[in-house]
Amino acid sequence: MFKAIHYTHVAPEEVEEAGAKGVCVRWLISKRDGAKNFAMRYFEVEPAGQTPNHSHDWEHEVFILEGKGLVVCEGSEREVKPGYAVFIPPNADHCFKNNTSGRLCLLCLIPHKE
């Protein structure tokens, strides 16, 4: 099935995992759309918010669209801002933190879990 939709037409869902604060996700493309291999997610992290610190056995790729913040991976921190691409390897502890007064928005691609 073909899909072309503006991201604002996909309802945001609050991330309720332990450790998440001020984070919403929009599942732009997923299995519901017939995507068999990957999911594309749009995250919005509010000021002083963060994604949960976690790890999993798959990689993912992230592209920063708006705002500034920190990516924390395996104890190292890097500042990120629009235009930055981030690779998170499998099994690496990681999170994204918004340490600014503006919103941090990022696009995240992951393989579907079987």
Side-chain angles (χ1 to χ4, degrees), residues 48-59:
Q50 76 170 59
T51 64
N53 188 43
H54 65 290
S55 67
H56 35 68
D57 62 356
W58 61 88
E59 69 182 55

Side-chain angles (χ1 to χ4, degrees), residues 24-44:
C24 288
V25 61
R26 297 173 195 254
W27 288 84
L28 302 179
I29 300 171
S30 69
K31 285 184 178 181
R32 293 179 295 217
D33 302 305
K36 295 180 182 178
N37 299 302
F38 299 96
M40 180 185 292
R41 306 174 301 167
Y42 179 91
F43 282 91
E44 300 168 73

